[in-house]
């Protein structure tokens, strides 16, 4: 059974390898999870893109076994060419703006209510 320090050492070595890949290629290679988080592209779309040869990928040893990496720049470029992903991104930005506006209005209402309660 692995001790926590063995696990941390293994994880640190893996992260160092990822950084080395980035330095060698001058293009960040990231896990599918990170590519999904950074770009909003689903993992299934990412898998489809690398299987169809639309983006490059590589398989490296990770702390839990083989780990698929993709070039973040290529994912961003491919996502920009997808009208469906662009529409979804625009909706999300629009929703974020609406939430920000609603938060601002709630803050204003709370201030007005506090002022009325003081009277």
């Amino acid at each position: 059974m692995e001790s926590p320090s063995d696990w941390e050492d293994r994880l640190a070595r893996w992260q160092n390898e990822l950084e080395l890949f980035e330095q060698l290629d001058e293009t960040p290679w990231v896990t599918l999870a990170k590519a999904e988080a950074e770009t909003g592209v689903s993992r299934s779309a990412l898998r489809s893109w690398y299987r169809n040869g639309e983006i490059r990928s590589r398989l490296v040893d990770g702390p839990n076994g083989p780990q698929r990496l993709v070039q973040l720049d290529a994912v961003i470029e491919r996502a920009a060419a997808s009208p469906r992903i662009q529409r979804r991104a625009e909706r999300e930005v629009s929703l974020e703006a609406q939430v920000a506006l609603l938060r601002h209005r709630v803050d204003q209402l709370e201030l007005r209510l506090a002022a009325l309660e003081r009277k």
Side-chain angles (χ1 to χ4, degrees):
M1 183 171 186
E2 283 188 19
S3 71
S5 72
D6 289 341
W7 168 252
E8 290 171 6
D9 289 343
R10 204 164 144 197
L11 185 59
R13 281 194 310 273
W14 180 69
Q15 289 171 334
N16 288 338
E17 287 176 17
L18 289 180
E19 290 171 9
L20 182 60
F21 279 133
E22 287 181 24
Q23 291 170 5
L24 292 174
D25 285 338
E26 298 179 8
T27 304
W29 287 85
V30 297
T31 62
L32 295 181
K34 184 163 183 170
E36 179 180 28
E38 294 282 326
T39 64
V41 175
S42 70
R43 287 188 205 188
S44 62
L46 293 169
R47 286 186 189 103
S48 173
W49 292 352
Y50 71 72
R51 287 177 183 151
N52 292 332
E54 297 175 49
I55 59 172
R56 291 178 53 207
S57 74
R58 63 171 50 142
L59 204 55
V60 298
D61 286 333
N64 297 318
Q67 183 77 44
R68 178 71 60 178
L69 302 180
V70 293
Q71 289 180 309
L72 186 57
D73 292 345
V75 172
I76 291 169
E77 190 175 306
R78 174 60 182 86
S82 172
R84 192 172 91 204
I85 290 173
Q86 289 302 312
R87 283 192 304 273
R88 187 176 75 203
E90 288 169 3
R91 277 195 313 271
E92 288 174 5
V93 167
S94 175
L95 287 175
E96 286 179 22
Q98 290 177 20
V99 168
L101 179 61
L102 288 172
R103 282 187 183 142
H104 178 71
R105 293 189 67 193
V106 167
D107 290 343
Q108 287 179 330
L109 289 171
E110 286 176 345
L111 290 172
R112 288 177 61 193
L113 180 60
L116 288 172
E117 287 175 348
R118 281 191 298 253
K119 288 184 180 181

